Amino acid sequence: MSVNKEIKRITTETLRKMKVDGEKISMLTAYDYTMSLLADKANLDAILVGDSAANVMAGHETTLPITLDQMIYHAQCVVRGAKRSLVVVDLPFGTYQSDPQKALESAVRIMKESGAHAIKLEGGKEIEESIRRIVNAGIPVMGHLGLTPQSIYQFGSYKVRAKEDAEANKLLEDAKSLEELGCFSVVMEKIPAELAKKVTEAVSIPTIGIGAGNGCDGQVLVIHDMLGLNNEFKPKFVRKYLNLEDQMVQAIEQYVEDVKSSDFPNINEQY
C-alpha cells in the first residue's frame, strides 16, 4: 500500500482509520529539527521524540537521566520540522509514575511549550490514574507495554518480555485497560510476535511494534539505528537501511586529509 500524499497532517484519528483500513503505520524517532524535517519529507506517519535521546544524543547508558526540560527542548526542535507527521513525546522517568497530578502537569508542559500532538508513557494498570487525568484534560496518550526501558533496573536486562503466560496475560489485560482509559495507541516493545498479534486483534486502537513482529498495526525504530549511525548496536529487530557511520567517518577523514594537505579550500572555494 502506497503513501497517501493527500493527507496534509496526520492525526490520532488518521492512525485509527489506518488500522481499520489495514494500512500499516510508519514511525521513527527524531530529536532535532534536521532529522524531523527529513523524516517528514519522506512522508513518515509519526515521529516519536523518545527519551532514547538520553542514549543516542547524550550518551547515557539508560533513558533515566533525561529531564522534562530536555524533552521539551528536543520536542520543540522536532515540531518545527514536522509539517505532516504526528509528533508524540515521551514523558521522562520520574514525571508521572507516582503522582497523577504531577503526570498531568508534565504532560501539559510538553503540549503547551513544545507544540507536540501527543505524549507517550510506559506502563499499564499501575499508572491508570495518571493516564486518566491526562486523557480527561484532552491530551492524546500513547501507551507503552512489554520492555519498558524506564524500568530497566527492575527488569535487570533488555531481554524479550512476556514469554511466560502470567506476564503475557497481564500485558494483554493492560492493553485492554489502556484502550478503556482512552489511549489512542500503544507501543509494544520486544515481546513475542504471536502475543503482539493477539493483542493487536484484541484492541481497536492501533498497536506500534518494536521488536514485536509483523502482526502489529505499525512499526517504530530509533532513526539512528535504521540509518546505521551506531554499528555497535545490533539487535535482531533493527533493519539497517544505510551504513552512515562508516560513510560519515570516511568523509570526515577525507576532510581532515584535505585540510592538512592544503587541498581544502581550493581556489573555487574562497572569496
Side-chain angles (χ1 to χ4, degrees), residues 13-51:
E13 185 57 36
T14 311
L15 300 192
R16 291 191 188 97
K17 188 175 186 301
M18 285 179 175
K19 178 180 177 98
V20 172
D21 294 343
E23 179 181 351
K24 296 287 189 177
I25 298 163
S26 60
M27 189 176 195
L28 289 169
T29 65
Y31 317 101
D32 60 65
Y33 170 77
T34 302
M35 282 291 196
S36 171
L37 188 67
L38 295 175
D40 196 75
K41 282 183 177 180
N43 297 305
L44 189 71
D45 294 319
I47 296 174
L48 173 63
V49 186
D51 57 4

PDB file of all heavy atoms in Angstrom, residues 13-51:
ATOM      1  N   GLU A  13      -6.710  10.442  14.839  1.00  0.00           N
ATOM      2  CA  GLU A  13      -7.840   9.839  14.113  1.00  0.00           C
ATOM      3  C   GLU A  13      -7.365   9.200  12.810  1.00  0.00           C
ATOM      4  O   GLU A  13      -7.884   8.158  12.392  1.00  0.00           O
ATOM      5  CB  GLU A  13      -8.905  10.896  13.830  1.00  0.00           C
ATOM      6  CG  GLU A  13     -10.174  10.348  13.194  1.00  0.00           C
ATOM      7  CD  GLU A  13     -10.843   9.259  14.015  1.00  0.00           C
ATOM      8  OE1 GLU A  13     -10.817   9.331  15.266  1.00  0.00           O
ATOM      9  OE2 GLU A  13     -11.378   8.304  13.395  1.00  0.00           O
ATOM     10  N   THR A  14      -6.358   9.795  12.170  1.00  0.00           N
ATOM     11  CA  THR A  14      -5.778   9.208  10.955  1.00  0.00           C
ATOM     12  C   THR A  14      -5.218   7.827  11.265  1.00  0.00           C
ATOM     13  O   THR A  14      -5.404   6.876  10.496  1.00  0.00           O
ATOM     14  CB  THR A  14      -4.652  10.097  10.397  1.00  0.00           C
ATOM     15  OG1 THR A  14      -5.085  11.443  10.304  1.00  0.00           O
ATOM     16  CG2 THR A  14      -4.218   9.609   9.018  1.00  0.00           C
ATOM     17  N   LEU A  15      -4.526   7.697  12.395  1.00  0.00           N
ATOM     18  CA  LEU A  15      -3.936   6.412  12.768  1.00  0.00           C
ATOM     19  C   LEU A  15      -5.017   5.369  13.031  1.00  0.00           C
ATOM     20  O   LEU A  15      -4.872   4.201  12.651  1.00  0.00           O
ATOM     21  CB  LEU A  15      -3.048   6.570  14.001  1.00  0.00           C
ATOM     22  CG  LEU A  15      -1.851   7.521  13.893  1.00  0.00           C
ATOM     23  CD1 LEU A  15      -0.924   7.328  15.090  1.00  0.00           C
ATOM     24  CD2 LEU A  15      -1.083   7.310  12.604  1.00  0.00           C
ATOM     25  N   ARG A  16      -6.101   5.787  13.683  1.00  0.00           N
ATOM     26  CA  ARG A  16      -7.209   4.849  13.922  1.00  0.00           C
ATOM     27  C   ARG A  16      -7.795   4.360  12.603  1.00  0.00           C
ATOM     28  O   ARG A  16      -8.114   3.175  12.441  1.00  0.00           O
ATOM     29  CB  ARG A  16      -8.310   5.532  14.750  1.00  0.00           C
ATOM     30  CG  ARG A  16      -7.932   5.837  16.189  1.00  0.00           C
ATOM     31  CD  ARG A  16      -9.165   6.254  16.993  1.00  0.00           C
ATOM     32  NE  ARG A  16      -8.793   6.724  18.325  1.00  0.00           N
ATOM     33  CZ  ARG A  16      -8.638   7.993  18.659  1.00  0.00           C
ATOM     34  NH1 ARG A  16      -8.812   8.926  17.737  1.00  0.00           N
ATOM     35  NH2 ARG A  16      -8.307   8.337  19.885  1.00  0.00           N
ATOM     36  N   LYS A  17      -7.953   5.273  11.660  1.00  0.00           N
ATOM     37  CA  LYS A  17      -8.502   4.902  10.348  1.00  0.00           C
ATOM     38  C   LYS A  17      -7.548   3.970   9.612  1.00  0.00           C
ATOM     39  O   LYS A  17      -7.984   3.046   8.903  1.00  0.00           O
ATOM     40  CB  LYS A  17      -8.767   6.157   9.520  1.00  0.00           C
ATOM     41  CG  LYS A  17      -9.521   5.882   8.212  1.00  0.00           C
ATOM     42  CD  LYS A  17      -9.861   7.165   7.480  1.00  0.00           C
ATOM     43  CE  LYS A  17     -10.731   6.880   6.261  1.00  0.00           C
ATOM     44  NZ  LYS A  17     -10.094   5.977   5.296  1.00  0.00           N
ATOM     45  N   MET A  18      -6.245   4.196   9.756  1.00  0.00           N
ATOM     46  CA  MET A  18      -5.264   3.314   9.129  1.00  0.00           C
ATOM     47  C   MET A  18      -5.430   1.881   9.624  1.00  0.00           C
ATOM     48  O   MET A  18      -5.352   0.928   8.850  1.00  0.00           O
ATOM     49  CB  MET A  18      -3.844   3.811   9.408  1.00  0.00           C
ATOM     50  CG  MET A  18      -3.434   5.033   8.612  1.00  0.00           C
ATOM     51  SD  MET A  18      -1.748   5.557   9.023  1.00  0.00           S
ATOM     52  CE  MET A  18      -1.514   6.887   7.854  1.00  0.00           C
ATOM     53  N   LYS A  19      -5.668   1.725  10.926  1.00  0.00           N
ATOM     54  CA  LYS A  19      -5.870   0.376  11.479  1.00  0.00           C
ATOM     55  C   LYS A  19      -7.106  -0.262  10.864  1.00  0.00           C
ATOM     56  O   LYS A  19      -7.077  -1.417  10.435  1.00  0.00           O
ATOM     57  CB  LYS A  19      -6.010   0.430  12.995  1.00  0.00           C
ATOM     58  CG  LYS A  19      -6.270  -0.946  13.630  1.00  0.00           C
ATOM     59  CD  LYS A  19      -6.406  -0.881  15.137  1.00  0.00           C
ATOM     60  CE  LYS A  19      -6.744  -2.251  15.709  1.00  0.00           C
ATOM     61  NZ  LYS A  19      -5.589  -2.972  16.227  1.00  0.00           N
ATOM     62  N   VAL A  20      -8.197   0.505  10.813  1.00  0.00           N
ATOM     63  CA  VAL A  20      -9.449  -0.007  10.249  1.00  0.00           C
ATOM     64  C   VAL A  20      -9.260  -0.401   8.786  1.00  0.00           C
ATOM     65  O   VAL A  20      -9.758  -1.445   8.338  1.00  0.00           O
ATOM     66  CB  VAL A  20     -10.569   1.047  10.372  1.00  0.00           C
ATOM     67  CG1 VAL A  20     -11.814   0.610   9.610  1.00  0.00           C
ATOM     68  CG2 VAL A  20     -10.910   1.278  11.842  1.00  0.00           C
ATOM     69  N   ASP A  21      -8.516   0.409   8.039  1.00  0.00           N
ATOM     70  CA  ASP A  21      -8.309   0.166   6.614  1.00  0.00           C
ATOM     71  C   ASP A  21      -7.205  -0.844   6.319  1.00  0.00           C
ATOM     72  O   ASP A  21      -6.981  -1.192   5.153  1.00  0.00           O
ATOM     73  CB  ASP A  21      -7.968   1.484   5.901  1.00  0.00           C
ATOM     74  CG  ASP A  21      -9.123   2.475   5.916  1.00  0.00           C
ATOM     75  OD1 ASP A  21     -10.266   2.044   6.185  1.00  0.00           O
ATOM     76  OD2 ASP A  21      -8.878   3.673   5.683  1.00  0.00           O
ATOM     77  N   GLY A  22      -6.500  -1.282   7.364  1.00  0.00           N
ATOM     78  CA  GLY A  22      -5.417  -2.235   7.159  1.00  0.00           C
ATOM     79  C   GLY A  22      -4.147  -1.618   6.614  1.00  0.00           C
ATOM     80  O   GLY A  22      -3.287  -2.325   6.068  1.00  0.00           O
ATOM     81  N   GLU A  23      -3.996  -0.285   6.749  1.00  0.00           N
ATOM     82  CA  GLU A  23      -2.782   0.395   6.298  1.00  0.00           C
ATOM     83  C   GLU A  23      -1.782   0.472   7.445  1.00  0.00           C
ATOM     84  O   GLU A  23      -2.092   0.967   8.524  1.00  0.00           O
ATOM     85  CB  GLU A  23      -3.105   1.813   5.813  1.00  0.00           C
ATOM     86  CG  GLU A  23      -1.878   2.587   5.349  1.00  0.00           C
ATOM     87  CD  GLU A  23      -2.193   4.005   4.895  1.00  0.00           C
ATOM     88  OE1 GLU A  23      -3.388   4.343   4.775  1.00  0.00           O
ATOM     89  OE2 GLU A  23      -1.225   4.768   4.663  1.00  0.00           O
ATOM     90  N   LYS A  24      -0.599  -0.027   7.226  1.00  0.00           N
ATOM     91  CA  LYS A  24       0.427  -0.040   8.270  1.00  0.00           C
ATOM     92  C   LYS A  24       0.905   1.382   8.590  1.00  0.00           C
ATOM     93  O   LYS A  24       0.977   2.244   7.705  1.00  0.00           O
ATOM     94  CB  LYS A  24       1.624  -0.885   7.839  1.00  0.00           C
ATOM     95  CG  LYS A  24       1.308  -2.368   7.650  1.00  0.00           C
ATOM     96  CD  LYS A  24       1.102  -3.073   8.973  1.00  0.00           C
ATOM     97  CE  LYS A  24       1.021  -4.587   8.766  1.00  0.00           C
ATOM     98  NZ  LYS A  24       0.880  -5.327  10.033  1.00  0.00           N
ATOM     99  N   ILE A  25       1.245   1.596   9.845  1.00  0.00           N
ATOM    100  CA  ILE A  25       1.671   2.908  10.341  1.00  0.00           C
ATOM    101  C   ILE A  25       3.198   2.945  10.470  1.00  0.00           C
ATOM    102  O   ILE A  25       3.788   2.060  11.094  1.00  0.00           O
ATOM    103  CB  ILE A  25       1.029   3.193  11.716  1.00  0.00           C
ATOM    104  CG1 ILE A  25      -0.491   3.221  11.589  1.00  0.00           C
ATOM    105  CG2 ILE A  25       1.557   4.501  12.300  1.00  0.00           C
ATOM    106  CD1 ILE A  25      -1.219   3.088  12.912  1.00  0.00           C
ATOM    107  N   SER A  26       3.815   3.952   9.882  1.00  0.00           N
ATOM    108  CA  SER A  26       5.275   4.092   9.959  1.00  0.00           C
ATOM    109  C   SER A  26       5.640   5.150  10.995  1.00  0.00           C
ATOM    110  O   SER A  26       5.097   6.242  11.004  1.00  0.00           O
ATOM    111  CB  SER A  26       5.846   4.489   8.590  1.00  0.00           C
ATOM    112  OG  SER A  26       5.298   5.729   8.160  1.00  0.00           O
ATOM    113  N   MET A  27       6.606   4.799  11.865  1.00  0.00           N
ATOM    114  CA  MET A  27       7.025   5.716  12.926  1.00  0.00           C
ATOM    115  C   MET A  27       8.521   5.564  13.164  1.00  0.00           C
ATOM    116  O   MET A  27       9.058   4.456  13.126  1.00  0.00           O
ATOM    117  CB  MET A  27       6.251   5.399  14.213  1.00  0.00           C
ATOM    118  CG  MET A  27       6.425   6.401  15.345  1.00  0.00           C
ATOM    119  SD  MET A  27       5.348   5.956  16.753  1.00  0.00           S
ATOM    120  CE  MET A  27       5.394   7.491  17.699  1.00  0.00           C
ATOM    121  N   LEU A  28       9.187   6.681  13.365  1.00  0.00           N
ATOM    122  CA  LEU A  28      10.600   6.705  13.728  1.00  0.00           C
ATOM    123  C   LEU A  28      10.804   7.735  14.829  1.00  0.00           C
ATOM    124  O   LEU A  28       9.977   8.628  15.017  1.00  0.00           O
ATOM    125  CB  LEU A  28      11.481   7.079  12.526  1.00  0.00           C
ATOM    126  CG  LEU A  28      11.644   6.069  11.403  1.00  0.00           C
ATOM    127  CD1 LEU A  28      12.313   6.717  10.192  1.00  0.00           C
ATOM    128  CD2 LEU A  28      12.443   4.849  11.861  1.00  0.00           C
ATOM    129  N   THR A  29      11.922   7.629  15.529  1.00  0.00           N
ATOM    130  CA  THR A  29      12.269   8.677  16.481  1.00  0.00           C
ATOM    131  C   THR A  29      12.957   9.826  15.751  1.00  0.00           C
ATOM    132  O   THR A  29      13.489   9.659  14.658  1.00  0.00           O
ATOM    133  CB  THR A  29      13.227   8.165  17.571  1.00  0.00           C
ATOM    134  OG1 THR A  29      14.479   7.808  16.954  1.00  0.00           O
ATOM    135  CG2 THR A  29      12.653   6.989  18.330  1.00  0.00           C
ATOM    136  N   ALA A  30      12.919  10.980  16.360  1.00  0.00           N
ATOM    137  CA  ALA A  30      13.740  12.121  15.942  1.00  0.00           C
ATOM    138  C   ALA A  30      13.908  13.008  17.167  1.00  0.00           C
ATOM    139  O   ALA A  30      13.048  13.025  18.056  1.00  0.00           O
ATOM    140  CB  ALA A  30      13.094  12.898  14.802  1.00  0.00           C
ATOM    141  N   TYR A  31      15.023  13.732  17.210  1.00  0.00           N
ATOM    142  CA  TYR A  31      15.335  14.528  18.400  1.00  0.00           C
ATOM    143  C   TYR A  31      15.750  15.955  18.045  1.00  0.00           C
ATOM    144  O   TYR A  31      16.016  16.752  18.929  1.00  0.00           O
ATOM    145  CB  TYR A  31      16.459  13.861  19.203  1.00  0.00           C
ATOM    146  CG  TYR A  31      16.300  12.371  19.334  1.00  0.00           C
ATOM    147  CD1 TYR A  31      17.023  11.495  18.529  1.00  0.00           C
ATOM    148  CD2 TYR A  31      15.414  11.835  20.261  1.00  0.00           C
ATOM    149  CE1 TYR A  31      16.881  10.126  18.644  1.00  0.00           C
ATOM    150  CE2 TYR A  31      15.257  10.463  20.385  1.00  0.00           C
ATOM    151  CZ  TYR A  31      15.988   9.617  19.566  1.00  0.00           C
ATOM    152  OH  TYR A  31      15.833   8.255  19.686  1.00  0.00           O
ATOM    153  N   ASP A  32      15.817  16.253  16.735  1.00  0.00           N
ATOM    154  CA  ASP A  32      16.246  17.585  16.320  1.00  0.00           C
ATOM    155  C   ASP A  32      15.517  17.998  15.043  1.00  0.00           C
ATOM    156  O   ASP A  32      14.845  17.190  14.404  1.00  0.00           O
ATOM    157  CB  ASP A  32      17.767  17.632  16.108  1.00  0.00           C
ATOM    158  CG  ASP A  32      18.243  16.667  15.035  1.00  0.00           C
ATOM    159  OD1 ASP A  32      17.869  16.856  13.865  1.00  0.00           O
ATOM    160  OD2 ASP A  32      18.976  15.714  15.361  1.00  0.00           O
ATOM    161  N   TYR A  33      15.674  19.254  14.689  1.00  0.00           N
ATOM    162  CA  TYR A  33      14.962  19.834  13.553  1.00  0.00           C
ATOM    163  C   TYR A  33      15.317  19.155  12.229  1.00  0.00           C
ATOM    164  O   TYR A  33      14.440  18.816  11.436  1.00  0.00           O
ATOM    165  CB  TYR A  33      15.270  21.333  13.471  1.00  0.00           C
ATOM    166  CG  TYR A  33      14.786  21.998  12.206  1.00  0.00           C
ATOM    167  CD1 TYR A  33      13.446  22.317  12.042  1.00  0.00           C
ATOM    168  CD2 TYR A  33      15.671  22.300  11.169  1.00  0.00           C
ATOM    169  CE1 TYR A  33      12.987  22.922  10.877  1.00  0.00           C
ATOM    170  CE2 TYR A  33      15.225  22.904  10.007  1.00  0.00           C
ATOM    171  CZ  TYR A  33      13.884  23.209   9.867  1.00  0.00           C
ATOM    172  OH  TYR A  33      13.449  23.793   8.709  1.00  0.00           O
ATOM    173  N   THR A  34      16.604  18.934  11.993  1.00  0.00           N
ATOM    174  CA  THR A  34      17.041  18.403  10.695  1.00  0.00           C
ATOM    175  C   THR A  34      16.508  16.998  10.456  1.00  0.00           C
ATOM    176  O   THR A  34      15.978  16.696   9.383  1.00  0.00           O
ATOM    177  CB  THR A  34      18.575  18.412  10.598  1.00  0.00           C
ATOM    178  OG1 THR A  34      19.051  19.748  10.772  1.00  0.00           O
ATOM    179  CG2 THR A  34      19.034  17.901   9.243  1.00  0.00           C
ATOM    180  N   MET A  35      16.635  16.114  11.441  1.00  0.00           N
ATOM    181  CA  MET A  35      16.129  14.748  11.303  1.00  0.00           C
ATOM    182  C   MET A  35      14.617  14.759  11.124  1.00  0.00           C
ATOM    183  O   MET A  35      14.063  13.993  10.328  1.00  0.00           O
ATOM    184  CB  MET A  35      16.514  13.906  12.514  1.00  0.00           C
ATOM    185  CG  MET A  35      17.948  13.426  12.509  1.00  0.00           C
ATOM    186  SD  MET A  35      18.261  12.190  11.236  1.00  0.00           S
ATOM    187  CE  MET A  35      19.829  11.525  11.833  1.00  0.00           C
ATOM    188  N   SER A  36      13.930  15.617  11.869  1.00  0.00           N
ATOM    189  CA  SER A  36      12.479  15.727  11.756  1.00  0.00           C
ATOM    190  C   SER A  36      12.072  16.176  10.357  1.00  0.00           C
ATOM    191  O   SER A  36      11.146  15.618   9.746  1.00  0.00           O
ATOM    192  CB  SER A  36      11.954  16.714  12.799  1.00  0.00           C
ATOM    193  OG  SER A  36      10.595  17.008  12.596  1.00  0.00           O
ATOM    194  N   LEU A  37      12.768  17.166   9.835  1.00  0.00           N
ATOM    195  CA  LEU A  37      12.476  17.693   8.505  1.00  0.00           C
ATOM    196  C   LEU A  37      12.632  16.614   7.440  1.00  0.00           C
ATOM    197  O   LEU A  37      11.782  16.445   6.559  1.00  0.00           O
ATOM    198  CB  LEU A  37      13.412  18.869   8.207  1.00  0.00           C
ATOM    199  CG  LEU A  37      13.146  19.672   6.940  1.00  0.00           C
ATOM    200  CD1 LEU A  37      11.824  20.429   7.039  1.00  0.00           C
ATOM    201  CD2 LEU A  37      14.297  20.646   6.682  1.00  0.00           C
ATOM    202  N   LEU A  38      13.709  15.842   7.528  1.00  0.00           N
ATOM    203  CA  LEU A  38      13.962  14.789   6.550  1.00  0.00           C
ATOM    204  C   LEU A  38      12.930  13.670   6.647  1.00  0.00           C
ATOM    205  O   LEU A  38      12.433  13.169   5.633  1.00  0.00           O
ATOM    206  CB  LEU A  38      15.371  14.225   6.742  1.00  0.00           C
ATOM    207  CG  LEU A  38      16.523  15.188   6.466  1.00  0.00           C
ATOM    208  CD1 LEU A  38      17.860  14.546   6.815  1.00  0.00           C
ATOM    209  CD2 LEU A  38      16.519  15.649   5.010  1.00  0.00           C
ATOM    210  N   ALA A  39      12.601  13.275   7.884  1.00  0.00           N
ATOM    211  CA  ALA A  39      11.604  12.214   8.083  1.00  0.00           C
ATOM    212  C   ALA A  39      10.247  12.658   7.553  1.00  0.00           C
ATOM    213  O   ALA A  39       9.522  11.882   6.921  1.00  0.00           O
ATOM    214  CB  ALA A  39      11.515  11.857   9.562  1.00  0.00           C
ATOM    215  N   ASP A  40       9.909  13.903   7.806  1.00  0.00           N
ATOM    216  CA  ASP A  40       8.631  14.439   7.356  1.00  0.00           C
ATOM    217  C   ASP A  40       8.579  14.499   5.831  1.00  0.00           C
ATOM    218  O   ASP A  40       7.543  14.186   5.228  1.00  0.00           O
ATOM    219  CB  ASP A  40       8.433  15.833   7.959  1.00  0.00           C
ATOM    220  CG  ASP A  40       6.999  16.312   7.878  1.00  0.00           C
ATOM    221  OD1 ASP A  40       6.166  15.824   8.665  1.00  0.00           O
ATOM    222  OD2 ASP A  40       6.705  17.177   7.022  1.00  0.00           O
ATOM    223  N   LYS A  41       9.674  14.882   5.202  1.00  0.00           N
ATOM    224  CA  LYS A  41       9.727  14.927   3.740  1.00  0.00           C
ATOM    225  C   LYS A  41       9.531  13.543   3.132  1.00  0.00           C
ATOM    226  O   LYS A  41       9.060  13.412   1.996  1.00  0.00           O
ATOM    227  CB  LYS A  41      11.071  15.506   3.276  1.00  0.00           C
ATOM    228  CG  LYS A  41      11.174  17.018   3.387  1.00  0.00           C
ATOM    229  CD  LYS A  41      12.505  17.503   2.826  1.00  0.00           C
ATOM    230  CE  LYS A  41      12.606  19.030   2.859  1.00  0.00           C
ATOM    231  NZ  LYS A  41      13.902  19.503   2.307  1.00  0.00           N
ATOM    232  N   ALA A  42       9.911  12.515   3.890  1.00  0.00           N
ATOM    233  CA  ALA A  42       9.783  11.133   3.416  1.00  0.00           C
ATOM    234  C   ALA A  42       8.392  10.560   3.676  1.00  0.00           C
ATOM    235  O   ALA A  42       8.168   9.364   3.493  1.00  0.00           O
ATOM    236  CB  ALA A  42      10.842  10.258   4.090  1.00  0.00           C
ATOM    237  N   ASN A  43       7.468  11.427   4.121  1.00  0.00           N
ATOM    238  CA  ASN A  43       6.073  11.031   4.364  1.00  0.00           C
ATOM    239  C   ASN A  43       5.923  10.034   5.506  1.00  0.00           C
ATOM    240  O   ASN A  43       5.038   9.176   5.481  1.00  0.00           O
ATOM    241  CB  ASN A  43       5.432  10.467   3.086  1.00  0.00           C
ATOM    242  CG  ASN A  43       5.355  11.489   1.967  1.00  0.00           C
ATOM    243  OD1 ASN A  43       4.804  12.570   2.148  1.00  0.00           O
ATOM    244  ND2 ASN A  43       5.923  11.157   0.818  1.00  0.00           N
ATOM    245  N   LEU A  44       6.756  10.154   6.512  1.00  0.00           N
ATOM    246  CA  LEU A  44       6.609   9.341   7.709  1.00  0.00           C
ATOM    247  C   LEU A  44       5.304   9.704   8.408  1.00  0.00           C
ATOM    248  O   LEU A  44       4.939  10.869   8.491  1.00  0.00           O
ATOM    249  CB  LEU A  44       7.796   9.599   8.653  1.00  0.00           C
ATOM    250  CG  LEU A  44       7.935   8.692   9.861  1.00  0.00           C
ATOM    251  CD1 LEU A  44       8.363   7.286   9.450  1.00  0.00           C
ATOM    252  CD2 LEU A  44       8.949   9.275  10.847  1.00  0.00           C
ATOM    253  N   ASP A  45       4.605   8.691   8.925  1.00  0.00           N
ATOM    254  CA  ASP A  45       3.309   8.951   9.555  1.00  0.00           C
ATOM    255  C   ASP A  45       3.450   9.624  10.920  1.00  0.00           C
ATOM    256  O   ASP A  45       2.703  10.539  11.245  1.00  0.00           O
ATOM    257  CB  ASP A  45       2.523   7.645   9.729  1.00  0.00           C
ATOM    258  CG  ASP A  45       2.141   7.028   8.394  1.00  0.00           C
ATOM    259  OD1 ASP A  45       1.753   7.788   7.485  1.00  0.00           O
ATOM    260  OD2 ASP A  45       2.233   5.791   8.255  1.00  0.00           O
ATOM    261  N   ALA A  46       4.388   9.139  11.724  1.00  0.00           N
ATOM    262  CA  ALA A  46       4.506   9.658  13.086  1.00  0.00           C
ATOM    263  C   ALA A  46       5.969   9.718  13.506  1.00  0.00           C
ATOM    264  O   ALA A  46       6.780   8.877  13.122  1.00  0.00           O
ATOM    265  CB  ALA A  46       3.722   8.791  14.060  1.00  0.00           C
ATOM    266  N   ILE A  47       6.275  10.738  14.292  1.00  0.00           N
ATOM    267  CA  ILE A  47       7.619  10.902  14.850  1.00  0.00           C
ATOM    268  C   ILE A  47       7.528  10.810  16.360  1.00  0.00           C
ATOM    269  O   ILE A  47       6.706  11.479  16.985  1.00  0.00           O
ATOM    270  CB  ILE A  47       8.224  12.262  14.452  1.00  0.00           C
ATOM    271  CG1 ILE A  47       8.426  12.336  12.936  1.00  0.00           C
ATOM    272  CG2 ILE A  47       9.550  12.502  15.186  1.00  0.00           C
ATOM    273  CD1 ILE A  47       8.894  13.699  12.443  1.00  0.00           C
ATOM    274  N   LEU A  48       8.370   9.973  16.931  1.00  0.00           N
ATOM    275  CA  LEU A  48       8.452   9.862  18.388  1.00  0.00           C
ATOM    276  C   LEU A  48       9.674  10.612  18.888  1.00  0.00           C
ATOM    277  O   LEU A  48      10.804  10.287  18.517  1.00  0.00           O
ATOM    278  CB  LEU A  48       8.543   8.399  18.819  1.00  0.00           C
ATOM    279  CG  LEU A  48       8.791   8.157  20.311  1.00  0.00           C
ATOM    280  CD1 LEU A  48       7.634   8.688  21.155  1.00  0.00           C
ATOM    281  CD2 LEU A  48       9.035   6.683  20.595  1.00  0.00           C
ATOM    282  N   VAL A  49       9.443  11.641  19.697  1.00  0.00           N
ATOM    283  CA  VAL A  49      10.546  12.295  20.398  1.00  0.00           C
ATOM    284  C   VAL A  49      10.781  11.445  21.639  1.00  0.00           C
ATOM    285  O   VAL A  49      10.186  11.654  22.684  1.00  0.00           O
ATOM    286  CB  VAL A  49      10.205  13.751  20.767  1.00  0.00           C
ATOM    287  CG1 VAL A  49      11.425  14.440  21.370  1.00  0.00           C
ATOM    288  CG2 VAL A  49       9.711  14.516  19.549  1.00  0.00           C
ATOM    289  N   GLY A  50      11.629  10.436  21.483  1.00  0.00           N
ATOM    290  CA  GLY A  50      11.795   9.437  22.522  1.00  0.00           C
ATOM    291  C   GLY A  50      12.756   9.863  23.618  1.00  0.00           C
ATOM    292  O   GLY A  50      13.679  10.646  23.383  1.00  0.00           O
ATOM    293  N   ASP A  51      12.528   9.303  24.813  1.00  0.00           N
ATOM    294  CA  ASP A  51      13.504   9.535  25.877  1.00  0.00           C
ATOM    295  C   ASP A  51      14.806   8.802  25.581  1.00  0.00           C
ATOM    296  O   ASP A  51      15.800   8.964  26.289  1.00  0.00           O
ATOM    297  CB  ASP A  51      12.952   9.158  27.254  1.00  0.00           C
ATOM    298  CG  ASP A  51      12.474   7.719  27.341  1.00  0.00           C
ATOM    299  OD1 ASP A  51      12.627   6.966  26.354  1.00  0.00           O
ATOM    300  OD2 ASP A  51      11.938   7.339  28.402  1.00  0.00           O
TER     301      ASP A  51
END
